Amino acid sequence: MRKTPSLAVRTGLIGLSVALGSPGTAIASGFALPEISTAGIGTANAMVANPVDPGAFAYNPAAMGFHGKSSLALGTLFVAPSFEVDNAAGTQESEGADWLVAPLIQGALRLNERWWIGFGANAPFGLETRWGAGTFRPLAGELPAPPPLPEPTIPLSPQPLQSKLEITDLVPTATFRVNEALSVSAGLDYYWAKSAVLNSSLAALEGDGTGWGYNLGFLLQQGPFSLGANYHSAATIEVSGDYRPRSRNLVILERLAPAENAELDLNLPWRLQLGLRYAFTERLAIEADWTRTGWSEFDEIQVWGKRSGALLQEDLNDWSDANAYRFGVTYQWRPETVLRFGYSFDETGQPERFFSPRVPDNDRHLFGIGIGQDLGNGWAVDAGYMYVRFEDRDYRSATPYTGGGNINGTDALDGRYEASAHLVGVDVRKSF
């Protein structure tokens, strides 16, 4: 039977739920990372209605139905994010990894004239951020430690330190060519959170977990026009890990629960992408896409102790669904060379009242450029680069932080936040 959480336990895991509830390396709305193929990087992710480029398979598996060959693409996405805050403590930069790495794998097996089987591996969600100690001002002072405890004081406020979340999506799909104009697809999403590191100044949680979802898509082509859509359902990843207080004195003074195994449910949003493509000539085509991400699924975080059965933390996020508007251009420069260009405007789903430095999230602009080169004998290589510029967020809250509870949306986090990112993708493809 679930137990009611004590004040000591609630205080202890504030930082953990804030860490997960406010991710840090987000290249699209929230902690989504929609760059799931190298070709898509070049077109700023406007690929869902493309029946020509194999790079569209990851965005819409129904596109496989318009290709006469099987293929396998192996690639890697490199992400270099940068976060900075200018607050009362001065100008501070996030100390995250210089480059994050994610897989870009997509296979398409043509069974006959009507059926294809696909398999993809990518990272549609992820984050990493590390704020140094002292980035944010003390929130609730310190508790004197009575002798003979070795530490003179005990921190009481949940200072955010490190968040890292690596999620890989394994995507088996089946595609059916209904007729010359229409192709449909259906598949599964197997999400693997292979690394969840959630640290604060009070406690740490490390774990992993898995969850299931599904996806549906269609692609319709009529002359120079093509219309495509792809939907990924919401999913829940059950994360299990080890909870550890950062100081034994906090346990002795009954401010934190002792170390134990913990679990929480991470709710991933649904994603709907619609696209319209028009081919002006055999060489030049444009595509406009609209993406809706269901961040309202990401409403709360609950952390439970496996041994005690206690609700260690319940944290409200209350994010809103968000839109993205994408525009891509492809130009067949030479018979063996295609050029790609793209721009995207992504809205944030994080409301002001739940702002957090774990993700100084805001509306952002994405600029992409890429190239695809046919090497002959079924071989091809793709490369893409994207620059992401977050709009600066001058955050000033009228809600005072009074200690103990959630720091999200309070004046403890006041400051001017800036962020940007560089993304590079490369893959090699073999058609057979």
Side-chain angles (χ1 to χ4, degrees):
M1 181 177 180
R2 301 295 192 187
K3 301 178 182 179
T4 302
S6 66
L7 174 62
V9 172
R10 291 200 304 268
T11 304
L13 279 196
I14 284 286
L16 299 184
S17 64
V18 170
L20 187 58
S22 307
T25 302
I27 310 306
S29 168
F31 53 94
L33 189 66
E35 291 74 30
I36 54 177
S37 84
T38 300
I41 294 172
T43 61
N45 304 306
M47 293 288 288
V48 75
N50 191 322
V52 178
D53 198 323
F57 296 169
Y59 292 89
N60 187 0
M64 290 187 290
F66 290 86
H67 290 254
K69 293 184 177 181
S70 301
S71 64
L72 176 63
L74 302 177
T76 305
L77 171 66
F78 302 91
V79 185
S82 174
F83 293 91
E84 182 178 291
V85 59
D86 186 3
N87 58 16
T91 301
Q92 311 286 338
E93 294 185 1
S94 170
E95 302 170 352
D98 292 334
W99 288 92
L100 307 177
V101 181
L104 297 174
I105 301 173
Q106 184 65 52
L109 179 62
R110 183 176 185 267
L111 301 180
N112 53 47
E113 293 183 356
R114 288 188 176 269
W115 285 98
W116 284 256
I117 297 296
F119 176 80
N122 52 67
F125 302 98
L127 67 96
E128 183 172 17
T129 192
R130 300 178 188 177
W131 294 110
T135 297
F136 306 98
R137 64 181 176 84
L139 306 182
E142 296 177 324
L143 178 71
L149 297 180
E151 299 178 31
T153 58
I154 304 298
L156 295 182
S157 57
Q159 295 285 335
L161 294 181
Q162 180 187 10
S163 294
K164 183 177 182 180
L165 187 62
E166 296 179 275
I167 298 179
T168 298
D169 185 13
L170 305 179
V171 193
T173 55
T175 296
F176 178 68
R177 182 73 177 263
V178 179
N179 52 43
E180 290 298 315
L182 177 64
S183 180
V184 297
S185 68
L188 298 174
D189 290 285
Y190 178 70
Y191 295 104
W192 172 35
K194 61 180 181 179
S195 177
V197 180
L198 311 171
N199 296 339
S200 75
S201 58
L202 299 182
L205 178 67
E206 298 183 11
D208 55 20
T210 59
W212 288 93
Y214 66 89
N215 62 84
L216 302 170
F218 80 86
L219 184 56
L220 175 68
Q221 184 180 31
Q222 291 286 350
F225 287 97
S226 57
L227 175 69
N230 188 240
Y231 173 78
H232 290 263
S233 71
T236 298
I237 296 180
E238 298 179 354
V239 178
S240 297
D242 297 321
Y243 156 73
R244 301 186 309 276
R246 300 186 69 86
S247 169
R248 68 181 183 87
N249 291 346
L250 291 172
V251 177
I252 295 174
L253 295 173
E254 297 184 352
R255 306 300 302 186
L256 288 183
E260 69 168 307
N261 294 333
E263 59 185 1
L264 58 87
D265 290 340
L266 173 61
N267 295 323
L268 300 179
W270 51 263
R271 294 165 285 155
L272 173 64
Q273 188 169 4
L274 303 177
L276 178 64
R277 183 177 184 269
Y278 181 76
F280 290 95
T281 67
E282 292 184 357
R283 303 176 67 183
L284 176 65
I286 63 171
E287 179 170 340
D289 288 9
W290 170 75
T291 299
R292 182 77 167 173
T293 303
W295 286 115
S296 56
E297 298 286 339
F298 189 64
D299 55 352
E300 65 179 2
I301 293 290
Q302 291 185 330
V303 183
W304 296 89
K306 284 188 175 181
R307 174 185 54 79
S308 64
L311 176 59
L312 302 178
Q313 175 61 34
E314 186 174 27
D315 186 54
L316 183 64
N317 299 296
D318 198 23
W319 284 20
S320 302
D321 297 346
N323 297 316
Y325 306 94
R326 315 191 191 282
F327 180 78
V329 178
T330 56
Y331 179 67
Q332 196 72 38
W333 181 34
R334 296 183 299 186
E336 68 277 7
T337 307
V338 60
L339 304 179
R340 307 180 181 101
F341 309 91
Y343 167 77
S344 176
F345 176 73
D346 288 15
E347 299 175 342
T348 179
Q350 184 188 55
E352 190 84 356
R353 66 185 181 278
F354 292 108
F355 175 80
S356 168
R358 297 289 184 173
V359 52
D361 199 26
N362 207 5
D363 297 341
R364 69 212 66 186
H365 305 269
L366 293 72
F367 305 89
I369 186 171
I371 185 171
Q373 182 69 33
D374 189 340
L375 304 177
N377 296 320
W379 289 95
V381 62
D382 294 293
Y385 166 77
M386 178 181 288
Y387 173 69
V388 182
R389 179 64 187 177
F390 293 63
E391 294 186 359
D392 294 347
R393 189 160 187 171
D394 192 4
Y395 176 75
R396 297 291 183 270
S397 176
T399 303
Y401 176 74
T402 57
N406 191 0
I407 67 173
N408 288 1
T410 69
D411 61 357
L413 307 175
D414 284 357
R416 184 177 182 83
Y417 294 83
E418 299 180 7
S420 63
H422 300 275
L423 294 85
V424 176
V426 61
D427 70 39
V428 176
R429 184 177 67 255
K430 172 64 175 178
S431 299
F432 51 92

